[in-house]
Amino acid sequence: MATSYRLVCTGCGKEAGYSSFRCSYCASILEVKFDYDTLVLPKDFKKSASEHYKYLPFFPIERFRIRSREGGTPITMQKALGKNIMFKLETENPTHSFKDRGSVVEVNRAIELKAGAVCCASTGNMGISVAHYARIAGIKCTIFLSHDANADKVAKIKRNGARIIKVKGDFNKALGSAEAFARKTGAFVCGDYHYRKEGQKSVIFELIEQLHYNVPDFIFVPVGNATLLSAMYKGLMEFRRFSLIGRFPRLVAVQSERCDPLVRAYNSGTKVKYAKPRTIADAIAVGFPTFGFEGIRALRSTKGIGLSVTEQEIKNAVTELDSLGIKAESGGAAGFAGFRKAYGDKKSLFQNKKIVVLVTGNNESIAKISL
Ligand SMILES: [Zn+2]
């Protein structure tokens, strides 16, 4: 039996219909509020193999009507800066980014709600991922991109049969266009909204299970819209609620200093303000993070750290990962750039600590990152 839930506005607290993508009263984003009394974990939950589908009780869908081979991504232990670091390779998902965990939940939800079409605003990776699942589901797909979207990513979206609409402006402009398109056509909006966030929780579920429920001390996460960051926090809360873990890791949010609205807000104790994206790391080039408020709460509640890295530090991280045999695009390597910077600043903080770095995407050729 699927777990019961309601959609509730994060701004005014009013309840919303299941097809909504924002609150119709105050336009804030929505949240899935599970009735945890109806969430039943199988008796062998801890013993069964860690894969995306076993977390169904934590997802807002009845079952998986379509799937690819998302999740179950490997962790590789490598020596970097003389320390053993665990890299979780989200690049091993079907479309080479962590987005697939959210897309599979979203598109299954679109099928349940009998949507005939989906649309999505993207900087690239989410567009590839949503187009991939829409193709499997046989649903029409329209992707909104900024006019200067990465050519490698545009080609991959096209190969998945989606229609592409380019808008003059950045990601937030594309987001407005996608939402307007949905209001006009009735298409189901995929992207950084409540259903996707639930699917992204499996990164942290899986990671903790792979470490045999030994919670790491630090997890470095690249941040754009902060959906992954806030999903990880929600996943941690849920695992703790069901007594699967007793403590939290410290989450470390990493952004480019040329687009770091969340890190700035967290470190200065102010509200998130729009910052014009000017970074090569297009996967995290988001001027106003949709889940900014939730992302900051995730950092506060886990004694987290906010870090900005330079463009050169991101490029260096791509090269260093490559030398370790790990392929990553610039945004996907930002977490590692953050670790290198934090470790350089204060080695003692990481002494005898278990450190995980998420490598979140690999959809641009390394040759295009001018090293
Ligand atoms: Zn509201």
Side-chain angles (χ1 to χ4, degrees):
M1 192 188 74
T3 308
S4 314
Y5 67 90
R6 297 175 300 133
L7 291 187
V8 177
C9 173
T10 57
C12 69
K14 287 199 172 79
E15 206 167 320
Y18 288 118
S19 296
S20 315
F21 53 92
R22 282 185 188 275
C23 174
S24 55
Y25 298 95
C26 73
S28 299
I29 51 163
L30 305 170
E31 187 173 17
V32 172
K33 287 253 189 211
F34 285 109
D35 175 0
Y36 288 114
D37 292 338
T38 67
L39 195 159
V40 181
L41 290 183
K43 277 204 178 75
D44 64 346
F45 183 81
K46 277 178 94 165
K47 287 188 192 142
S48 61
S50 173
E51 58 161 14
H52 193 70
Y53 314 104
K54 79 177 266 190
Y55 308 118
L56 180 63
F58 294 101
F59 294 150
I61 55 173
E62 292 159 9
R63 62 187 171 89
F64 285 96
R65 288 172 167 84
I66 58 143
R67 51 201 267 182
S68 191
R69 48 170 183 81
E70 56 288 318
T73 59
I75 292 177
T76 171
M77 178 84 89
Q78 299 280 345
K79 227 176 185 92
L81 305 177
K83 279 198 76 66
N84 285 324
I85 309 293
M86 291 176 278
F87 293 95
K88 182 143 176 76
L89 305 181
E90 286 298 289
T91 50
E92 297 296 313
N93 276 296
T95 73
H96 310 295
S97 85
F98 72 99
K99 305 282 187 187
D100 293 334
R101 297 173 185 272
S103 301
V104 70
V105 168
E106 260 183 343
V107 175
N108 272 287
R109 191 64 184 127
I111 296 169
E112 286 175 3
L113 293 167
K114 305 201 182 330
V118 296
C119 67
C120 176
S122 173
T123 61
N125 285 341
M126 189 142 57
I128 300 169
S129 181
V130 168
H132 173 75
Y133 286 95
R135 182 170 58 77
I136 293 171
I139 292 179
K140 270 191 204 161
C141 178
T142 306
I143 304 294
F144 290 79
L145 295 168
S146 86
H147 61 96
D148 57 353
N150 177 288
D152 293 335
K153 296 181 180 180
V154 173
K156 288 184 181 184
I157 295 169
K158 274 190 189 150
R159 279 209 291 278
N160 275 291
R163 176 185 172 209
I164 291 174
I165 296 180
K166 286 194 177 176
V167 301
K168 270 196 179 161
D170 64 7
F171 169 78
N172 286 98
K173 190 80 193 291
L175 189 69
S177 301
E179 293 187 0
F181 177 82
R183 284 190 192 96
K184 206 168 115 188
T185 66
F188 180 94
V189 188
C190 290
D192 285 312
Y193 303 96
H194 46 282
Y195 290 131
R196 169 170 299 273
K197 177 178 160 184
E198 298 303 314
Q200 300 297 170
K201 293 183 305 194
S202 73
V203 176
I204 192 77
F205 294 157
E206 199 177 282
L207 171 58
I208 286 173
E209 291 207 291
Q210 285 171 314
L211 301 180
H212 308 289
Y213 292 89
N214 294 312
V215 176
D217 297 295
F218 293 92
I219 306 178
F220 286 77
V221 192
V223 171
N225 252 327
T227 313
L228 179 58
L229 182 65
S230 51
M232 288 172 74
Y233 176 58
K234 188 169 184 186
L236 288 166
M237 297 273 281
E238 289 177 339
F239 259 26
R240 190 173 67 175
R241 193 181 194 286
F242 288 87
S243 304
L244 295 163
I245 55 169
R247 69 177 184 94
F248 289 166
R250 294 180 73 178
L251 299 179
V252 185
V254 186
Q255 296 196 295
S256 160
E257 66 171 18
R258 289 168 68 88
C259 184
D260 60 352
L262 184 130
V263 168
R264 268 172 199 259
Y266 178 62
N267 289 341
S268 62
T270 55
K271 278 190 173 176
V272 178
K273 287 189 207 98
Y274 174 82
K276 190 174 168 56
R278 290 175 295 120
T279 172
I280 53 158
D282 64 337
I284 53 170
V286 177
F288 190 80
T290 306
F291 283 94
F293 180 77
E294 281 77 5
I296 286 175
R297 188 168 55 187
L299 293 181
R300 279 208 191 106
S301 307
T302 62
K303 297 193 178 68
I305 298 170
L307 279 175
S308 300
V309 291
T310 66
E311 298 289 286
Q312 191 59 50
E313 284 167 339
I314 290 175
K315 291 175 186 174
N316 293 346
V318 172
T319 313
E320 174 84 12
L321 283 177
D322 191 50
S323 72
L324 296 172
I326 299 171
K327 305 289 178 200
E329 63 180 74
S330 43
F336 185 47
F339 167 71
R340 285 164 55 102
K341 178 166 193 148
Y343 188 67
D345 286 351
K346 199 174 182 185
K347 287 187 179 60
S348 59
L349 190 61
F350 302 101
Q351 209 160 18
N352 303 319
K353 301 292 185 199
K354 275 204 290 273
I355 296 153
V356 175
V357 171
L358 296 187
V359 183
T360 47
N362 181 28
N363 273 311
E364 62 187 352
S365 64
I366 192 168
K368 293 207 174 147
I369 304 166
S370 47
L371 299 168

Short mmCIF file of all heavy atoms in Angstrom, two decimals, residues 9 11-13 23 25-28, ligand 1:
data_model
loop_
_atom_site.label_atom_id
_atom_site.label_comp_id
_atom_site.label_asym_id
_atom_site.label_seq_id
_atom_site.Cartn_x
_atom_site.Cartn_y
_atom_site.Cartn_z
N CYS A 9 1.41 23.93 1.15
CA CYS A 9 2.23 25.10 0.74
C CYS A 9 3.28 25.39 1.81
O CYS A 9 2.97 25.42 3.01
CB CYS A 9 1.32 26.30 0.55
SG CYS A 9 2.24 27.81 0.25
N GLY A 11 4.67 28.21 2.10
CA GLY A 11 4.53 29.61 2.48
C GLY A 11 3.37 29.83 3.43
O GLY A 11 3.56 30.24 4.59
N CYS A 12 2.14 29.52 2.97
CA CYS A 12 0.94 29.86 3.77
C CYS A 12 0.33 28.64 4.45
O CYS A 12 -0.62 28.79 5.24
CB CYS A 12 -0.09 30.56 2.90
SG CYS A 12 -0.85 29.48 1.66
N GLY A 13 0.82 27.44 4.14
CA GLY A 13 0.34 26.24 4.84
C GLY A 13 -0.96 25.66 4.28
O GLY A 13 -1.44 24.65 4.78
N CYS A 23 1.62 26.87 -4.95
CA CYS A 23 0.42 27.24 -4.21
C CYS A 23 -0.39 28.24 -5.05
O CYS A 23 0.17 29.21 -5.58
CB CYS A 23 0.81 27.88 -2.89
SG CYS A 23 -0.58 28.53 -1.97
N TYR A 25 -2.58 30.23 -3.93
CA TYR A 25 -2.86 31.44 -3.15
C TYR A 25 -1.64 32.36 -3.09
O TYR A 25 -1.74 33.56 -3.31
CB TYR A 25 -3.27 31.08 -1.71
CG TYR A 25 -4.54 30.27 -1.66
CD1 TYR A 25 -4.50 28.88 -1.62
CD2 TYR A 25 -5.79 30.90 -1.69
CE1 TYR A 25 -5.66 28.13 -1.59
CE2 TYR A 25 -6.96 30.16 -1.67
CZ TYR A 25 -6.90 28.77 -1.61
OH TYR A 25 -8.05 28.04 -1.59
N CYS A 26 -0.46 31.79 -2.78
CA CYS A 26 0.70 32.67 -2.57
C CYS A 26 1.89 32.34 -3.49
O CYS A 26 2.94 32.96 -3.39
CB CYS A 26 1.13 32.62 -1.11
SG CYS A 26 1.96 31.10 -0.64
N ALA A 27 1.72 31.34 -4.39
CA ALA A 27 2.74 30.98 -5.39
C ALA A 27 4.01 30.36 -4.80
O ALA A 27 4.99 30.15 -5.51
CB ALA A 27 3.10 32.17 -6.28
N SER A 28 4.00 30.06 -3.49
CA SER A 28 5.18 29.40 -2.91
C SER A 28 5.24 27.95 -3.38
O SER A 28 4.24 27.41 -3.89
CB SER A 28 5.09 29.40 -1.39
OG SER A 28 5.06 30.70 -0.89
ZN ZN B 1 0.59 29.36 -0.17
#
